[in-house]
Amino acid sequence: MIKKPYILDYFTLVILALIGGISTYFLSLRGFDQYPIFILMIFGLIILLFIKPLLKSESFVILMIYLLIASTFLNNAFFKINLGFFSLFPYRIVLVLVTMVIFYKFIMDQSHKYLWEQIKVKNILYFFIFWLIYASISLLWSLSVIEGIKYLSLLVMGLLFLFIIVFYINKVDRLVGFYYIWMFMTVFLMVIGFWNHITKIHLPSSTLYLGPEYKQHYPTAVFFNQNDFATYLSISVFFFISYVKNATNGFLKGVSFCLIFGILYLIYATDSRAALLGVFVGVAFYIFLLLPRLLKQISFWGALIGVIGVFIVFFEKIYNKFFELFLASQVHHSFAEAMSSNMGRANLLKNSFNFILDTFGMGVGSGNAEVYMSSRPIYDTDNIVNIHFWFVEIFVNFGIFVFLGYILLYGYFIWFLFRNYNRKMQSKNKLIIEALLGSLVCFIVSSISPSSISNLFFHWVLISLVIATINYLKISKENKSLPLGY
């Protein structure tokens, strides 16, 4: 009689063979030679048989997850297989492999039961499951189901990555490993960015590849355009700022200090005002975080009084500008003259809120914000269909319930990390928490810069690291026998 584990092994191989065979068939339809791909698939299955003992090792799984994290920063710049409706990038391939390894491990040793018991952020994960279910249901009233499915696929990959990270990155050393991967990959992307800026040569993944000469000086690295790169750099700078403050190695602190100026220069070179403003707001919050309690209170009330004072002094100018952008009656824009950037973004927001009203707060459906903006605009946007604000994009696509849930959750991330931050805590904890708080606050502002965040996977990488950190902090608090940071 064949033992159950062997039955599972053969069953897994059959499933893999079917997946490989179907993939080979569709690749051949796209013009790929099926024989090398089929041979590669068979070779991969043979390797899988030899490394089967490794699949049961958690260290091997963690190593694969580290590889997955690193691959997310490469986007589709160096490798891409276009399947028509769907494209394969390095991180998508590695994501599938890691998922298969984890699934195999779950079946073989039932480790998912232990891992689920260790999760202290179940309510957060439940929200993302709700988001996914709601996004799937929203296809029923979407104008374009195809666009909805495309957007849904991005959401599925982001949430799959998030769940993997939260399940396995649950110790401080693993969080620090994640942190260092982010820093290392940022340096790698900075090198490409400076290469773009100096040589005016871009990778094929960039919209500036063979584009207009007057834009060639903008650095884009592996991203679609300079605004995407600027947003990534704006949140990454806080990883280096926190490292300079909390690291003990003097040489590496000095190198990181220099890299901070390199990042700021690249952001300046992208010409992204939102990213620069995001860094400014993030740094202000970072300084506020480090102040003693008394100075925090003085700074908070001083800032509040200052904001109120500025609003009172410049009330007339502020109101006139707000009236011009949002309240004054407008006619459709004449293409004989260029629309101002501020007016264009204001009209995008006004259209967005009209779409929400038209759908009774349910949202236009997964991935349909741009469809509505191009086919049913009330205010002229000069043919721009991307909302250019991540939080509003969620609002328009998924409606009031997902939007409020995301806003409350994002606020909870900042509140929890801020509340649990202690100036006397161990350096590893301070290293991670300070970087995440600065990045989260910065992202609120800098997310205005890209046309859309949905296709920028680093958003999910950041959110995953935040949730994994919160989960670790909660585990540490419950385990009274260990001091925070072990």
Side-chain angles (χ1 to χ4, degrees):
M1 182 176 180
I2 301 177
K3 294 181 180 180
K4 184 179 178 180
Y6 290 101
I7 294 176
L8 291 174
D9 286 352
Y10 292 129
F11 175 76
T12 303
L13 288 177
V14 169
I15 295 298
L16 291 174
L18 287 174
I19 294 174
I22 294 172
S23 301
T24 300
Y25 171 73
F26 281 106
L27 286 172
S28 65
L29 293 180
R30 299 293 301 175
F32 292 90
D33 190 346
Q34 63 267 37
Y35 297 108
I37 296 175
F38 184 76
I39 293 172
L40 184 63
M41 182 195 71
I42 298 299
F43 183 68
L45 292 176
I46 294 173
I47 292 177
L48 185 63
L49 285 173
F50 279 105
I51 68 171
K52 188 183 71 172
L54 289 175
L55 300 182
K56 299 180 182 180
S57 168
E58 188 168 317
S59 298
F60 177 76
V61 175
I62 297 301
L63 183 63
M64 289 287 292
I65 291 174
Y66 284 158
L67 177 63
L68 171 63
I69 295 169
S71 67
T72 61
F73 294 92
L74 300 178
N75 291 334
N76 63 340
F78 303 103
F79 176 75
K80 178 181 179 181
I81 299 178
N82 190 357
L83 303 179
F85 182 78
F86 193 74
S87 297
L88 289 177
F89 312 147
Y91 76 82
R92 292 182 177 179
I93 296 173
V94 180
L95 179 61
V96 172
L97 292 176
V98 171
T99 303
M100 292 168 64
V101 168
I102 291 175
F103 182 71
Y104 178 84
K105 192 176 186 315
F106 279 1
I107 294 176
M108 295 304 297
D109 59 17
Q110 300 294 308
S111 60
H112 60 283
K113 297 179 180 178
Y114 166 76
L115 291 173
W116 183 248
E117 291 174 358
Q118 294 296 306
I119 299 297
K120 306 302 178 184
V121 289
K122 291 185 177 69
N123 290 336
I124 295 177
L125 299 184
Y126 288 148
F127 166 75
F128 286 108
I129 293 173
F130 164 75
W131 185 356
L132 182 60
I133 294 173
Y134 188 91
S136 302
I137 296 174
S138 73
L139 295 177
L140 296 174
W141 62 79
S142 298
L143 283 180
S144 174
V145 176
I146 293 178
E147 291 300 321
I149 294 175
K150 288 181 179 179
Y151 203 99
L152 187 61
S153 68
L154 297 175
L155 183 61
V156 169
M157 286 185 290
L159 296 185
L160 183 58
F161 177 86
L162 187 152
F163 273 71
I164 290 173
I165 295 300
V166 175
F167 268 77
Y168 282 95
I169 307 299
N170 51 13
K171 299 177 182 178
V172 69
D173 288 337
R174 294 177 183 178
L175 289 169
V176 172
F178 193 149
Y179 188 102
Y180 288 158
I181 291 173
W182 187 303
M183 292 183 66
F184 177 81
M185 295 306 297
T186 300
V187 174
F188 177 70
L189 298 186
M190 287 175 63
V191 171
I192 301 177
F194 276 110
W195 175 68
N196 299 147
H197 184 59
I198 295 171
T199 66
K200 298 183 179 181
I201 299 174
H202 296 265
L203 297 174
S205 60
S206 171
T207 187
L208 299 184
Y209 180 69
L210 303 179
E213 177 64 28
Y214 72 94
K215 290 185 176 181
Q216 292 299 304
H217 65 284
Y218 290 134
T220 56
V222 300
F223 295 92
F224 183 69
N225 58 40
Q226 67 273 21
N227 290 330
D228 297 348
F229 187 35
T231 301
Y232 168 76
L233 290 174
S234 68
I235 63 178
S236 298
V237 71
F238 293 96
F239 284 71
F240 291 86
I241 292 174
S242 182
Y243 186 84
V244 169
K245 177 184 173 296
N246 296 292
T248 56
N249 187 303
F251 174 75
L252 293 179
K253 285 169 66 104
V255 172
S256 298
F257 185 77
C258 295
L259 289 172
I260 290 172
F261 288 95
I263 292 174
L264 294 177
Y265 177 81
L266 283 174
I267 296 175
Y268 173 78
T270 63
D271 228 7
S272 174
R273 292 172 295 176
L276 287 172
L277 180 59
V279 172
F280 175 80
V281 173
V283 169
F285 183 84
Y286 189 90
I287 294 173
F288 175 77
L289 175 69
L290 302 181
L291 293 175
R293 177 173 296 183
L294 178 60
L295 288 180
K296 274 190 175 75
Q297 294 176 353
I298 295 174
S299 300
F300 174 79
W301 290 109
L304 182 61
I305 293 172
V307 169
I308 295 174
V310 170
F311 183 78
I312 293 174
V313 172
F314 296 99
F315 175 78
E316 185 176 354
K317 290 185 178 180
I318 294 173
Y319 176 78
N320 289 339
K321 193 65 177 178
F322 180 81
F323 183 86
E324 176 189 346
L325 293 176
F326 295 101
L327 301 179
S329 60
Q330 299 177 23
V331 296
H332 283 276
H333 170 61
S334 172
F335 291 98
E337 57 184 25
M339 174 180 284
S340 68
S341 175
N342 291 336
M343 182 62 70
R345 288 179 180 260
N347 286 351
L348 286 168
L349 292 176
K350 287 189 288 186
N351 281 334
S352 297
F353 286 105
N354 275 285
F355 298 153
I356 288 295
L357 293 175
D358 290 342
T359 57
F360 303 100
M362 300 294 288
V364 300
S366 174
N368 273 245
E370 295 179 14
V371 177
Y372 269 73
M373 199 68 71
S374 61
S375 62
R376 299 184 178 181
I378 297 176
Y379 300 94
D380 186 17
T381 60
D382 208 10
N383 293 323
I384 297 174
V385 297
N386 305 107
I387 295 178
H388 286 78
F389 194 2
W390 172 235
F391 297 90
V392 177
E393 182 180 334
I394 294 175
F395 192 21
V396 176
N397 279 310
F398 304 107
I400 188 69
F401 298 111
V402 173
F403 171 72
L404 287 180
Y406 186 87
I407 291 293
L408 291 174
L409 194 61
Y410 201 94
Y412 172 76
F413 292 160
I414 297 174
W415 173 82
F416 182 90
L417 294 176
F418 182 81
R419 183 186 175 204
N420 285 268
Y421 178 78
N422 187 335
R423 296 171 64 199
K424 296 181 180 180
M425 67 179 9
Q426 293 190 11
S427 58
K428 287 182 179 179
N429 297 86
K430 289 195 291 185
L431 174 75
I432 297 170
I433 294 176
E434 289 175 10
L436 292 180
L437 279 171
S439 298
L440 286 171
V441 173
C442 171
F443 181 74
I444 296 173
V445 180
S446 64
S447 65
I448 302 173
S449 185
S451 58
S452 174
I453 299 293
S454 62
N455 58 346
L456 298 179
F457 205 77
F458 65 78
H459 160 261
W460 291 113
V461 180
L462 176 64
I463 295 298
S464 300
L465 180 55
V466 170
I467 299 175
T469 302
I470 293 174
N471 185 55
Y472 156 72
L473 291 173
K474 288 189 173 185
I475 292 173
S476 299
K477 277 193 170 184
E478 288 189 6
N479 191 349
K480 301 297 183 181
S481 61
L482 291 178
L484 193 64
Y486 280 68

